[in-house]
Amino acid sequence: MAHPKRKVSKQRRDKRRTHDFAVVPTLATCSNCGATVLYHRVCPECGYYRGRQIIEKKAQ
Ligand SMILES: [Zn+2]
């Protein structure tokens, strides 16, 4: 198996991990029902997007 020739130093390891943080999604509030929704997504609660009904929801 491929095997690293040298130990990765703490500095090099930690520099590699500077890009590994988790990104918190930007949230918006639905203008129709007030639920918290992701940007550029149809509201999962009421099916509205940009003021229009996009998908029909059985229970409202
Ligand atoms: Zn909504």
Side-chain angles (χ1 to χ4, degrees):
M1 273 170 62
H3 192 79
K5 189 168 186 174
R6 294 189 195 289
K7 174 179 176 174
V8 175
S9 69
K10 286 176 228 170
Q11 183 178 34
R12 189 179 175 94
R13 177 202 66 199
D14 292 347
K15 277 181 172 178
R16 180 176 68 234
R17 291 178 185 175
T18 60
H19 300 283
D20 289 357
F21 68 94
V23 177
V24 178
T26 308
L27 296 173
T29 307
C30 176
S31 58
N32 185 58
C33 70
T36 304
V37 294
L38 293 171
Y39 269 107
H40 306 116
R41 299 290 191 283
V42 172
C43 175
E45 297 298 320
C46 64
Y48 269 68
Y49 182 67
R50 295 188 69 178
R52 293 200 298 125
Q53 180 101 49
I54 306 296
I55 50 174
E56 295 295 327
K57 286 281 172 179
K58 287 142 199 153
Q60 289 207 4

